Amino acid sequence: VILIVAASGVGKTLAGIQVTVEDAKANGGRVLFFSLEMSDEGIFFRIAIQESANLADDNGYVSPKHVASALHQDPELRGRINEECERLLIVDDIENMHEAEQYIALAIEELSNHGEDLTAVIFDYGQMLGGMEDSKIGPKIARSLKPIAKRFEIRLYMLLQTNKTFGGGRPTLNQIEGTGGWRQAADYAMILWTHSSLNNIIHAAFDKNRWGLPGEEFAFIKNGLKLSSIDAVPEDENPLDKEGEY
């Protein structure tokens, strides 16, 4: 069970889609994506922006108009986007974890019939599940994750939004309702945050790592909606080095 935790607008969905799709591509499988906030059209356009990172300006922003134009003119771009989208099986109408479990079982059965595997399941985002905000129901949902992951032998990603009352900066699991349940359920909990001076840099750290030491920090640079490791950025173009923050 992997948690991805961040404040609103930092990049939870971006990170979740990219990590799970790359996982699926590496293992020749599919991802079951429970989109509790966005429509499938919205997810398609996010992936289109991800694959159009070369259109980003100096601040990492990609204009939707430029993406729409590129989609019309560039068959190679359309092919890449279709390949990414084909990895995702999108469900946007579940109410609770019981329904989610039924969808997971169905997806595994249908994919198996076609010689394919389900490599990961992702919930975007957890607080949109029915009852999650209830102080009694929320921890029960958290505790249900591990049995589901074990039953289906699958990686399960849960995206979580921090409580807005805590303000900005680096978040922690303590900023989520039902902290004890989430911490117990997670094998990994990755937290994401940005600084106002460099909002195209997403900082990350493991708040929990069941098989290692938590706390190590790393970072990604965001071009449009595509994340790249800071290590992959040429040294003379690394904005963190220029700002002396990393």
Side-chain angles (χ1 to χ4, degrees):
V1 175
I2 301 102
L3 307 181
I4 300 178
V5 181
S8 176
V10 169
K12 296 183 299 298
T13 303
L14 167 61
I17 290 176
Q18 190 167 330
V19 167
T20 54
V21 168
E22 290 300 322
D23 183 1
K25 285 164 46 176
N27 292 283
R30 303 284 193 98
V31 176
L32 182 57
F33 191 103
F34 290 109
S35 180
L36 308 177
E37 185 179 29
M38 284 193 301
S39 66
D40 52 356
E41 291 88 355
I43 294 171
F44 171 84
F45 202 71
R46 275 182 175 257
I47 292 174
I49 295 177
Q50 279 186 340
E51 293 303 313
S52 304
N54 61 304
L55 301 176
D57 62 20
D58 292 341
N59 294 316
Y61 175 73
V62 175
S63 166
K65 290 183 179 180
H66 291 165
V67 174
S69 176
L71 280 171
H72 179 70
Q73 300 176 19
D74 189 346
E76 182 180 347
L77 174 61
R78 292 197 300 271
R80 291 202 310 270
I81 293 169
N82 286 335
E83 181 183 0
E84 298 283 304
C85 290
E86 285 175 359
R87 296 290 177 184
L88 292 175
L89 306 174
I90 300 171
V91 177
D92 60 6
D93 60 354
I94 65 165
E95 295 291 335
N96 52 57
M97 289 301 294
H98 178 66
E99 287 185 15
E101 196 166 0
Q102 291 178 319
Y103 272 110
I104 295 170
L106 179 62
I108 290 173
E109 180 180 357
E110 289 295 319
L111 289 173
S112 177
N113 290 339
H114 293 85
E116 297 184 88
D117 294 321
L118 187 68
T119 59
V121 175
I122 182 169
F123 293 86
D124 182 25
Y125 56 95
Q127 282 93 337
M128 300 293 287
L129 282 165
M132 179 65 81
E133 298 293 351
D134 188 307
S135 61
K136 295 182 179 179
I137 298 177
K140 291 182 180 179
I141 294 175
R143 289 193 294 271
S144 72
L145 300 180
K146 182 72 74 177
I148 292 174
K150 286 184 175 180
R151 174 189 171 190
F152 296 109
E153 297 182 339
I154 198 166
R155 285 179 289 282
L156 195 157
Y157 294 79
M158 177 68 78
L159 311 188
L160 295 170
Q161 186 165 300
T162 55
N163 191 324
K164 294 180 180 179
T165 61
F166 282 87
R170 174 175 170 166
T172 70
L173 282 180
N174 295 332
Q175 296 174 9
I176 301 171
E177 296 294 335
T179 295
W182 292 114
R183 188 173 292 280
Q184 183 178 4
D187 295 300
Y188 298 97
M190 185 170 70
I191 56 175
L192 307 174
W193 71 99
T194 60
H195 296 296
S196 58
S197 60
L198 288 170
N199 58 14
N200 66 322
I201 301 297
I202 297 179
H203 296 265
F206 285 105
D207 192 275
K208 178 178 179 181
N209 183 348
R210 191 177 295 277
W211 292 284
L213 294 175
E216 182 178 358
E217 294 188 16
F218 46 103
F220 304 98
I221 188 167
K222 181 171 66 171
N223 285 317
L225 293 179
K226 190 81 170 182
L227 298 181
S228 300
S229 169
I230 286 293
D231 293 337
V233 179
E235 186 173 349
D236 60 349
E237 299 178 15
N238 191 328
L240 291 180
D241 286 341
K242 292 179 181 179
E243 296 290 333
E245 293 189 15
Y246 195 77

